[in-house]
């Protein structure tokens, strides 16, 4: 069984497109520019289920029209609307220069300044000019941590760990 640690979210299934089982995939990650895959995982009833592509074509920069194998009509396709879409981490590019923000969700942050575990990245906020990690600390509320290159010391993809040198006072004691 595939668990959430093995995948990262790349988008969500939108509405049905046509009557032959196609759906709109609204993606938030450029994984298709970096690698090819025959399938993605859809979260249905809390379970990650592989869905294999019959075909897909890009509609624009953040939407594709997707036809999955064995989904042959609008009713079956309609059952998929609203499902989150995930990509297998082991199929993503292994080049650290091409690590996407979405791939970093689930990574743990360690601060070299305070020598402690800051928490787990639960989301990445790209809505402002400065990208922010939304981090769940061991105790307390979600923290917003700047994802600036100046603060990132190391990214260990294998151990899902980000080492950062954060400014003093950013993390409360």
């Amino acid at each position: 069984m595939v668990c959430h640690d093995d995948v990262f979210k790349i988008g969500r299934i939108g509405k049905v497109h046509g009557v032959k089982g196609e759906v709109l995939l609204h993606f938030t990650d450029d994984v298709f520019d970096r690698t090819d895959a025959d399938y993605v995982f859809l979260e249905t009833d809390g379970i990650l289920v592989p869905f294999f592509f019959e075909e897909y074509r890009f509609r624009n920069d953040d939407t594709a029209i997707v036809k999955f194998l064995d989904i042959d009509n609008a009713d079956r396709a309609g059952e998929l609307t609203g499902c989150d879409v995930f990509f297998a981490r082991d199929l993503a590019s292994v080049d650290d220069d091409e690590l996407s923000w979405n791939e970093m969700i689930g990574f743990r942050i360690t601060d070299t300044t305070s020598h402690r575990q800051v928490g787990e990245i639960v989301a990445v906020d790209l809505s402002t000019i400065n990208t922010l990690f939304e981090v769940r600390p061991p105790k307390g509320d979600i923290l917003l941590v700047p994802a600036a290159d100046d603060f990132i010391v190391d990214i260990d993809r294998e151990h899902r760990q980000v080492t950062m040198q954060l400014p003093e006072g950013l993390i409360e004691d």
Side-chain angles (χ1 to χ4, degrees):
M1 178 187 257
V2 176
C3 67
H4 278 86
D5 288 344
D6 300 328
V7 297
F8 61 97
K9 185 177 175 180
I10 63 165
R12 186 175 196 96
I13 299 294
K15 64 182 182 177
V16 174
H17 181 81
V19 295
K20 296 182 180 181
E22 294 178 318
V23 292
L24 297 180
L25 165 57
H26 302 288
F27 49 90
T28 57
D29 191 286
D30 65 349
V31 70
F32 293 113
D33 292 341
R34 296 179 281 127
T35 189
D36 287 326
D38 296 329
Y39 63 94
V40 291
F41 292 94
L42 272 58
E43 187 171 31
T44 60
D45 298 325
I47 299 171
L48 294 169
V49 179
F51 280 79
F52 289 82
F53 295 117
E54 185 172 311
E55 66 178 339
Y56 66 86
R57 60 192 181 279
F58 293 98
R59 185 178 195 186
N60 56 41
D61 289 342
D62 60 2
T63 305
I65 299 171
V66 176
K67 172 76 173 75
F68 292 113
L69 286 174
D70 300 324
I71 305 295
D72 296 325
N73 59 54
D75 290 336
R76 296 270 328 266
E79 295 172 7
L80 305 178
T81 60
C83 289
D84 287 333
V85 181
F86 296 85
F87 196 82
R89 287 186 190 279
D90 62 347
L91 295 179
S93 171
V94 295
D95 183 355
D96 282 346
D97 292 339
E98 294 187 30
L99 185 69
S100 76
W101 293 120
N102 285 343
E103 285 179 86
M104 296 180 77
I105 293 173
F107 280 42
R108 293 174 318 281
I109 295 179
T110 301
D111 177 33
T112 60
T113 304
S114 67
H115 305 289
R116 67 180 203 181
Q117 191 76 232
V118 177
E120 179 182 330
I121 301 170
V122 294
V124 179
D125 183 350
L126 302 169
S127 66
T128 64
I129 195 164
N130 297 313
T131 301
L132 300 169
F133 292 133
E134 294 181 22
V135 179
R136 179 184 305 120
K139 298 178 191 173
D141 296 327
I142 296 289
L143 300 171
L144 296 178
V145 176
D149 287 339
D150 294 347
F151 298 148
I152 297 175
V153 175
D154 182 54
I155 299 173
D156 182 344
R157 184 180 282 207
E158 182 180 345
H159 295 102
R160 301 184 65 206
Q161 179 72 42
V162 179
T163 304
M164 299 182 78
Q165 185 170 7
L166 297 172
E168 200 169 315
L170 185 66
I171 307 299
E172 296 178 11
D173 289 325

